Amino acid sequence: MTSSRTALGLLGAVALCSSWVACGSGQGSSSPPKNTQAIFVNGGPSNNYANGLFTNVTVCAPGSSTCQSVSNVLVDTGSYGLRLLASAVGGLSGSLPQQIGSDGNPVFECAEFVDSVVWGPVKVADVSLANETAQSLPIELIDASSVPVPSGCKAIGPAEEDVASLGANGILGIGFFITDCGDACTPASAANPGFYYSCVASLCSVASQALGQQVQNPIASFAANNNGIVIELPSINGSSPAIGGSMVLGIGTAENNALSSAVIFPPDKFGNLLTTFKGQQYAGFLDTGSNAYFFLDSKTTGITACSSAANGFYCPSSPVNLSATNISSQTGSSSTVNFTIVSASQLFSNNNDFVFPSLGGPNPSTFDWGLPFFMGRKVFVAIEGRPTPGSSGPYWAY
Amino acid sequence: MWEHPSSSVFKTHRIKLLVMLVALSPPAFAVLGGDVSTLASDQAHLKASVRVRVRNSYSVHEMLTPAGTTVRQFVSPSGTVFGISWQGFAPDLQQLLGDHFEEYVAAASSQRGRRGRGIHIDTGDLVVETGGHMRFVVGRAWLRSKLPQRVDPDDIQ
């Protein structure tokens, strides 16, 4: 786990290649294994996303063959549940049943992300990817056209309601929790953080939502390979316009998703692991939905923050080699990660590049192992409460 | 993690910290840039419990909301809230940023650059940084014009 970037890259390339070859038998030598979903890092639907990981998802009216395939859906291990722009779902929207709450009113959601919210109705759909289907799954349609974003939702941050602001046609949350809000939003909770709303016409108020009715990770509802996923992306030297990889369903359920010697990192109750950097401990997490290594601040790291066009990233005058160590609360074993940060303004100067393995930026008090971390690695994400050959989820392993 | 170890203020004055685990009355919270003596209603609005820690060059007023979100407000010796930090579920930023909320939303909406999670906006006076993931949002905001002397913005954590 302390291998150099180059060595990891080679290992990653071999692992990716062998898994495809091993499972190609019986399906034609060129077809990917059945439990595999193609994923891509590219500029996304607006051709402006840096380190965006995308895939295609098919949604259908429950129990029917009335379906819509949606491309350019962001693959996000930092959230839970499927959210699609109503505009990308098109005419199918009207065929997806509206979820009704315990009070008899339509349920809407204000999904709280780090810097924004997405608002819209909770609908029920059959969701398919990698040859598996989650039947009658609660999903969110991102759509403020019928019921406007309520003030309590707007108070959290700007709403992202279209391709231009979202940079994607939707977000596929496949992190290790099953539901997006969890116990905090259930009727038994002492305090509701306000993910779910009950709406009468355009008048909406915060409502509780039972776990089974919350928007949730489709992987957990699949008939097989439902204990987690493996994200595999190749290592690359320098920036690139695009790369492809795979999301393998299941952990230890097939030849192509064996845990082998990967170290397991169970999260704390907030969904974080422990990362040490320069002798200090921080909350850390592995997140494909974060498009850089986002860690700490200029004062702690000594790395200059960018100004102007590359605001929100680090801009060191020359490349900086760093290392940080993730510590497993399960075994106490540690994994030191070496990484390099290159000036974002320099990286962004080539308009054709959208994949940046050396992109970094500040993140107050925390260590966010974003998409560059996943390049050249096989990263396992095990779903809460689901047994795997290693231990029950939730955990990350790599 | 909260007591940022690399902060010079914390490092130098850790022993001198006067930690008062007391509930204040009236609630000592105000919006960013507001005066702590003309107390706003954050605590009541957020239904939060309170504790206050006094440092040499400023004091930190910490709220824990029932939903488990920790909000800290950094108050200068003259009584002005110059910085805010938060951690947990996303807080009501409109309440915490007050008059600066619209400025934040406008900047956040227009500065959608290439950063795909979290945000870093800087309008000259107002700086806001956020990060984290669903169920765990971290962020901080401060006003350059209100920052007391010798306080590093990175102390606001």
Side-chain angles (χ1 to χ4, degrees):
Chain A
M1 289 301 170
T2 55
S3 322
S4 72
R5 175 168 292 277
T6 310
L8 276 170
L10 288 170
L11 285 169
V14 170
L16 193 66
C17 182
S18 62
S19 68
W20 279 59
V21 172
C23 297
S25 56
Q27 301 176 42
S29 58
S30 61
S31 6
K34 200 168 175 284
N35 61 339
T36 297
Q37 173 85 2
I39 54 178
F40 318 93
V41 186
N42 55 41
S46 304
N47 214 36
N48 63 358
Y49 212 112
N51 285 339
L53 182 64
F54 299 97
T55 195
N56 304 327
V57 176
T58 300
V59 285
C60 306
S64 83
S65 57
T66 307
C67 301
Q68 177 68 49
S69 175
V70 181
S71 63
N72 284 308
V73 179
L74 192 76
V75 177
D76 181 17
T77 62
S79 70
Y80 321 97
L82 178 64
R83 303 179 162 79
L84 297 172
L85 288 171
S87 57
V89 174
L92 180 69
S93 302
S95 306
L96 299 180
Q98 165 70 50
Q99 193 184 73
I100 303 298
S102 54
D103 60 1
N105 297 323
V107 177
F108 279 65
E109 179 165 43
C110 173
E112 300 171 3
F113 285 88
V114 171
D115 51 354
S116 60
V117 296
V118 294
W119 168 260
V122 177
K123 297 262 192 164
V124 179
D126 290 350
V127 176
S128 299
L129 51 91
N131 304 297
E132 291 284 353
T133 299
Q135 293 178 330
S136 296
L137 188 79
I139 68 168
E140 180 184 4
L141 284 192
I142 304 168
D143 180 12
S145 66
S146 62
V147 175
V149 187
S151 57
C153 183
K154 279 183 181 167
I156 291 165
E160 297 185 329
E161 297 286 321
D162 54 27
V163 178
S165 56
L166 202 61
N169 283 327
I171 301 172
L172 174 64
I174 36 94
F176 42 46
F177 294 137
I178 295 175
T179 58
D180 59 0
C181 183
D183 292 337
C185 286
T186 61
S189 170
N192 190 327
F195 274 56
Y196 290 95
Y197 283 74
S198 165
C199 296
V200 180
S202 286
L203 197 62
C204 301
S205 52
V206 172
S208 61
Q209 184 86 334
L211 290 177
Q213 273 67 56
Q214 291 185 17
V215 170
Q216 49 201 281
N217 186 342
I219 312 288
S221 295
F222 290 160
N225 296 311
N226 56 16
N227 61 350
I229 52 156
V230 194
I231 300 286
E232 298 181 31
L233 289 171
S235 172
I236 55 169
N237 290 318
S239 306
S240 166
I243 59 172
S246 53
M247 177 168 80
V248 179
L249 301 193
I251 297 174
T253 61
E255 205 172 332
N256 62 352
N257 59 21
L259 199 55
S260 35
S261 60
V263 178
I264 290 175
F265 297 89
D268 63 17
K269 65 175 180 175
F270 297 110
N272 297 320
L273 50 70
L274 195 61
T275 301
T276 63
F277 179 75
K278 291 186 175 176
Q280 300 296 337
Q281 297 186 338
Y282 301 96
F285 53 95
L286 316 186
D287 180 15
T288 58
S290 293
N291 64 344
Y293 294 104
F294 289 125
F295 58 107
L296 312 178
D297 52 71
S298 287
K299 182 177 175 181
T300 310
T301 63
I303 307 174
T304 309
C306 305
S307 55
S308 67
N311 206 7
F313 294 99
Y314 282 132
C315 281
S317 54
S318 59
V320 183
N321 295 315
L322 299 164
S323 70
T325 301
N326 293 325
I327 297 167
S328 171
S329 63
Q330 183 186 55
T331 62
S333 59
S334 63
S335 153
T336 298
V337 181
N338 298 309
F339 59 106
T340 301
I341 301 301
V342 173
S343 165
S345 61
Q346 185 186 326
L347 295 174
F348 295 162
S349 63
N350 183 340
N351 289 330
N352 296 320
D353 287 339
F354 298 102
V355 189
F356 305 103
S358 299
L359 185 62
N363 204 47
S365 313
T366 47
F367 225 103
D368 177 353
W369 297 102
L371 196 72
F373 171 84
F374 290 77
M375 297 176 193
R377 285 192 170 83
K378 240 175 134 163
V379 180
F380 299 79
V381 183
I383 293 174
E384 59 179 324
R386 299 293 167 85
T388 78
S391 64
S392 283
Y395 67 74
W396 295 284
Y398 67 89
Chain B
M1 185 182 55
W2 272 114
E3 297 218 345
H4 206 276
S6 64
S7 149
S8 60
V9 170
F10 284 25
K11 196 177 284 176
T12 313
H13 303 298
R14 185 182 293 273
I15 297 164
K16 298 177 187 170
L17 296 184
L18 174 60
V19 179
M20 299 188 296
L21 295 173
V22 292
L24 291 190
S25 181
F29 289 96
V31 297
L32 184 64
D35 192 324
V36 78
S37 66
T38 60
L39 299 172
S41 56
D42 291 23
Q43 187 201 0
H45 184 83
L46 299 171
K47 299 183 178 69
S49 61
V50 181
R51 66 175 189 169
V52 176
R53 290 180 294 176
V54 179
R55 307 218 153 88
N56 273 15
S57 48
Y58 58 90
S59 61
V60 182
H61 299 222
E62 180 175 305
M63 298 186 283
L64 181 63
T65 73
T69 301
T70 301
V71 176
R72 290 177 169 184
Q73 293 181 300
F74 294 72
V75 180
S76 72
S78 61
T80 301
V81 179
F82 63 88
I84 294 175
S85 71
W86 57 92
Q87 175 179 308
F89 280 112
D92 183 335
L93 280 185
Q94 189 163 27
Q95 175 75 17
L96 295 174
L97 297 181
D99 290 344
H100 299 279
F101 180 72
E102 292 307 319
E103 186 184 352
Y104 162 70
V105 168
S109 305
S110 68
Q111 289 190 12
R112 294 229 171 276
R114 304 183 87 166
R115 180 153 176 166
R117 173 143 299 163
I119 208 161
H120 180 110
I121 65 152
D122 185 342
T123 67
D125 190 22
L126 175 69
V127 181
V128 185
E129 289 182 348
T130 66
H133 52 83
M134 193 168 253
R135 297 196 193 184
F136 181 79
V137 173
V138 293
R140 59 197 187 122
W142 70 92
L143 294 170
R144 283 206 174 88
S145 61
K146 308 288 186 191
L147 212 58
Q149 285 188 334
R150 295 182 290 110
V151 174
D152 188 309
D154 286 339
D155 294 336
I156 302 164
Q157 305 265 359

